[in-house]
């Protein structure tokens, strides 16, 4: 039987559903497990963690929107990740981890042999968490590390923390997607990020939506794109105080670079990534994300193939 996916959203999980999930994980019949916003007791959460610890087919795990809701659950997840060797994408968006919680998870994340995508958006993180995250972005050639990192909506991180992240990205040979939307970055941090982008050989997508930028930042980014060859293909600047003209100039330059790569035959080598991060539906004036409800809360079983585009590169 080919691995399938289980997706449940915004509903309480019954005992029967938990048993089915655990059985699928133990039988290595699940490739993607998404329990986004689901409600379950601590005992059932522990049962799922014990099952996923030994799962060898599970590649993507989505526990967004508060499923990992306490220190005890963080510890259980960390214990599972210490044993698991197959998960390549982990999404914890909207979980109240805090720096202390990430410290509990970090040893398992740092030693995991397959993890390439991590979503820690809206997880109440601060500068101490950034110090840990930088360890997941090793310098060139040191070891494998993250290729996609989401840190959206973590306003507790200070400019000092962002500067440390920018340095890590500049020296990482693997980060391709960096989502920092809805953080109060400002022009100073944007300038540091521009230097990181210019230094990176791999960063293709940078999301700075709603980060308090002005035309000053846009001009710096424009100069960077115009004068320095980079791998950047997408730069999101929506919901900032930046003129449409500057945004269009940057977009045009990035498009020109992509067209040149297509002519050279390089565009066909790029893999499209399946992403499990939460939609950027942030409500102005609020410190939290506004995530639309799913139209259906039924368990969905689909045949193998969902997420293959995300995993293709690491399985080569």
């Amino acid at each position: 039987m080919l691995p399938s996916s289980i997706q449940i959203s915004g509903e309480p999980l019954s005992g029967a559903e938990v048993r089915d999930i655990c059985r699928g994980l133990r039988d290595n019949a699940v490739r993607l497990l998404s329990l986004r916003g689901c409600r379950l007791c601590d005992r059932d959460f522990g049962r799922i963690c014990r099952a996923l610890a030994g799962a060898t087919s599970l590649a993507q795990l989505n526990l967004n929107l508060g499923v990992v809701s306490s220190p005890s659950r963080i510890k259980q997840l960390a214990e599972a990740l210490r044993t698991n060797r197959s998960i390549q994408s982990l999404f914890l968006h909207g979980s109240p981890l805090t720096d202390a919680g990430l410290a509990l998870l970090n040893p398992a994340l740092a030693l995991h042999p397959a993890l390439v995508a991590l979503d820690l958006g809206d997880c109440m993180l601060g500068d101490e968490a950034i110090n840990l995250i930088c360890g997941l972005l090793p310098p060139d050639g040191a070891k494998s590390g993250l290729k996609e990192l989401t840190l959206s909506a973590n306003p507790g991180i200070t400019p000092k923390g962002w500067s440390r992240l920018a340095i890590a990205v500049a020296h990482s040979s693997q980060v391709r997607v960096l989502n920092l939307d809805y953080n109060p970055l400002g022009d100073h941090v944007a300038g540091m990020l521009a230097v990181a982008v210019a230094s990176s050989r791999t960063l293709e997508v940078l999301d700075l939506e709603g980060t308090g930028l002005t035309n000053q930042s846009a001009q710096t980014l424009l100069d960077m794109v115009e004068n320095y060859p980079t791998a950047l293909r997408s730069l999101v600047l929506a919901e900032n105080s930046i003129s449409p003209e500057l945004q269009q100039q940057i977009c045009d330059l990035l498009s020109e670079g992509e067209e040149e790569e297509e002519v050279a035959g390089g565009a066909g080598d790029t893999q499209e990534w399946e992403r499990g991060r939460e939609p950027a539906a942030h409500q102005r004036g609020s410190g939290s994300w506004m995530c639309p409800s799913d139209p259906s809360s039924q368990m969905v079983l689909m045949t193998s193939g969902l997420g293959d585009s995300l995993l293709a590169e690491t399985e080569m």
Side-chain angles (χ1 to χ4, degrees), residues 100-309:
L102 188 60
L104 294 174
L105 272 179
N106 186 68
L109 298 176
L111 295 175
H112 200 286
L115 189 66
V116 294
L118 181 63
D119 186 341
L120 297 175
D122 197 12
C123 285
M124 303 172 63
L125 303 181
D127 288 357
E128 289 302 315
I130 287 292
N131 293 339
L132 298 173
I133 291 167
C134 288
L136 305 177
L137 307 176
D140 291 357
K143 61 177 181 177
S144 61
L146 295 178
K147 295 182 179 179
E148 178 174 345
L149 175 62
T150 296
L151 292 172
S152 315
N154 280 295
I157 300 171
T158 71
K160 181 180 178 181
W162 293 124
S163 66
R164 185 175 179 86
L165 179 68
I167 293 170
V169 169
H171 287 278
S172 170
S173 61
Q174 296 158 55
V175 178
R176 295 186 177 182
V177 179
L178 182 61
N179 301 303
L180 304 180
D181 44 323
Y182 296 104
N183 285 296
L185 303 182
D187 291 331
H188 179 64
V189 171
M192 291 186 289
L193 290 171
V195 174
V197 173
S199 302
S200 172
R201 297 191 300 272
T202 60
L203 189 63
E204 297 179 0
V205 178
L206 178 60
D207 189 346
L208 299 177
E209 180 176 358
T211 51
L213 308 188
T214 70
N215 284 343
Q216 177 183 327
S217 295
Q219 189 61 59
T220 300
L221 292 165
L222 176 62
D223 292 342
M224 180 268 297
V225 172
E226 191 170 21
N227 296 305
Y228 298 91
T230 73
L232 196 65
R233 296 181 177 215
S234 176
L235 178 60
V236 183
L237 296 173
E239 295 195 34
N240 287 296
S241 299
I242 297 174
S243 70
E245 293 77 16
L246 276 174
Q247 292 195 49
Q248 189 60 52
Q249 284 180 272
I250 294 171
C251 181
D252 290 344
L253 285 170
L254 291 175
S255 298
E256 288 175 9
E258 190 167 352
E259 289 172 2
E260 290 174 0
E261 288 186 8
E262 288 175 356
V263 171
D269 297 331
T270 301
Q271 299 288 340
E272 289 293 327
W273 282 43
E274 176 113 12
R275 293 165 65 184
R277 64 184 294 236
E278 291 302 312
H282 185 80
Q283 183 180 30
R284 289 180 177 272
S286 169
S288 61
W289 284 72
M290 300 299 293
C291 300
S293 300
D294 290 283
S296 172
S297 60
Q298 298 178 349
M299 180 181 290
V300 181
L301 294 177
M302 295 182 288
T303 58
S304 175
L306 182 61
D308 285 349
S309 56

Side-chain angles (χ1 to χ4, degrees), residues 18-83:
V18 171
R19 285 193 295 273
D20 287 343
I21 291 169
C22 292
R23 184 181 302 113
L25 291 170
R26 286 194 298 267
D27 293 344
N28 295 313
V30 180
R31 183 177 181 83
L32 181 156
L33 175 61
S34 177
L35 304 178
R36 179 179 177 273
C38 290
R39 301 184 294 281
L40 69 166
C41 67
D42 289 343
R43 177 175 175 270
D44 285 342
F45 183 86
R47 290 170 61 193
I48 291 174
C49 284
R50 288 190 293 274
L52 70 85
T56 59
S57 65
L58 185 65
Q60 183 166 321
L61 178 62
N62 185 331
L63 300 176
N64 285 354
L65 303 183
V67 177
V68 185
S69 56
S70 66
S72 64
R73 292 193 179 192
I74 295 172
K75 291 177 182 177
Q76 289 174 314
L77 178 60
E79 188 62 33
L81 291 174
R82 288 191 188 97
T83 305

